[in-house]
Amino acid sequence: VSASTAQADSLKTTGYVGVNYGVLKQYNRFFDDGKKHYETDKVFIRVGGEINEYFDSELRLGLTAGDKKETLRDTRFTPAGVDGSKGTFSHDYLLTLLLKAGYPIGPIKPYAAVGYTFGQERLTYPGGKATARFDDFTFGGGIDIDLGSRLVVNAEWIQYDNMDGIRLKGPSAGLAWRF
C-alpha cells in the first residue's frame, strides 16, 4: 500500500503556469467622454503552486493589451489653447501576489483570493507623458475547473486597487497548465 501511495504522490502536480485575459474597469480621471468609468484590456501571466489541498499561492504579471485613447479633460495634459487633445492611458504593469483559499468539489474548485498589487500607470498626452506607481490590497474570487490532470480553465473577478478612488477591478478568464 505504501508503494502505491508513494507512486500516486510522485504523480501529483503542485505547480502551474497560465495566462488570463481580462477587461478591467476603473474610475475615469482623465477623459472627457462623459463616462464615469473606462475599461482597459489586460493579459495576465500567472505562476503558482499548491501549498496544500485548500491553499494556493500565485504571482501574476498583468500587461495592457489595449490602450485607452480619448479626449483629455484635465487641462494639465493639454497644450495651451488647444481643445480636443487626445491622450492615451495604459498600465505599464500590475504585479500581484495572491493567496487563494478554495475547496475542491470534484473537478471544480471555487476560491477566494487575497493579496497585494504593485502597479504603474502611464498617460501619454501631446507634449509629454506622466507615470504614477501605486500599490494596494487585492481581493476577489473565482473558480478553477480541471479538464484532466494537467489543463485547468479559470474564471474570476478581482479588485486590484482601491487607492485614491481608482478601483481597478474586473473579470478575467484563462487557462493554466499544471506541472
Side-chain angles (χ1 to χ4, degrees):
V1 173
S2 64
S4 64
T5 302
Q7 184 179 13
D9 285 345
S10 70
L11 296 175
K12 186 175 181 183
T13 58
T14 58
Y16 60 90
V17 62
V19 63
N20 275 40
Y21 177 81
V23 179
L24 301 186
K25 179 169 45 171
Q26 72 182 63
Y27 285 114
N28 184 353
R29 303 183 329 264
F30 304 114
F31 301 118
D32 191 22
D33 60 1
K35 296 179 183 172
K36 185 177 179 180
H37 301 93
Y38 58 89
E39 296 177 342
T40 53
D41 299 339
K42 301 286 182 260
V43 173
F44 294 97
I45 300 165
R46 305 168 37 223
V47 177
E50 187 177 273
I51 298 170
N52 61 35
E53 183 179 8
Y54 305 106
F55 292 98
D56 292 354
S57 62
E58 183 174 298
L59 173 66
R60 63 175 60 183
L61 175 63
L63 303 168
T64 298
D67 296 342
K68 173 71 172 171
K69 186 171 187 172
E70 292 287 341
T71 302
L72 295 165
R73 73 169 167 208
D74 192 330
T75 57
R76 292 178 297 167
F77 305 116
T78 61
V82 176
D83 289 334
S85 295
K86 297 279 186 184
T88 302
F89 176 84
S90 66
H91 288 100
D92 290 339
Y93 64 86
L94 297 171
L95 183 63
T96 304
L97 306 164
L98 287 175
L99 178 64
K100 296 166 41 175
Y103 188 81
I105 306 165
I108 299 171
K109 185 177 182 181
Y111 62 85
V114 295
Y116 207 80
T117 295
F118 302 89
Q120 181 170 300
E121 58 187 12
R122 175 180 311 273
L123 179 66
T124 305
Y125 53 90
K129 65 181 176 182
T131 60
R133 291 191 177 136
F134 61 88
D135 59 283
D136 199 6
F137 289 101
T138 299
F139 62 89
I143 189 166
D144 288 336
I145 303 171
D146 293 341
L147 298 180
S149 63
R150 303 262 185 218
L151 187 61
V152 178
V153 173
N154 168 264
E156 65 186 8
W157 181 93
I158 301 280
Q159 181 162 313
Y160 291 94
D161 183 38
N162 194 27
M163 296 294 287
D164 301 321
I166 294 170
R167 286 206 177 143
L168 179 61
K169 61 186 176 182
S172 73
L175 297 171
W177 184 260
R178 289 199 174 110
F179 54 88

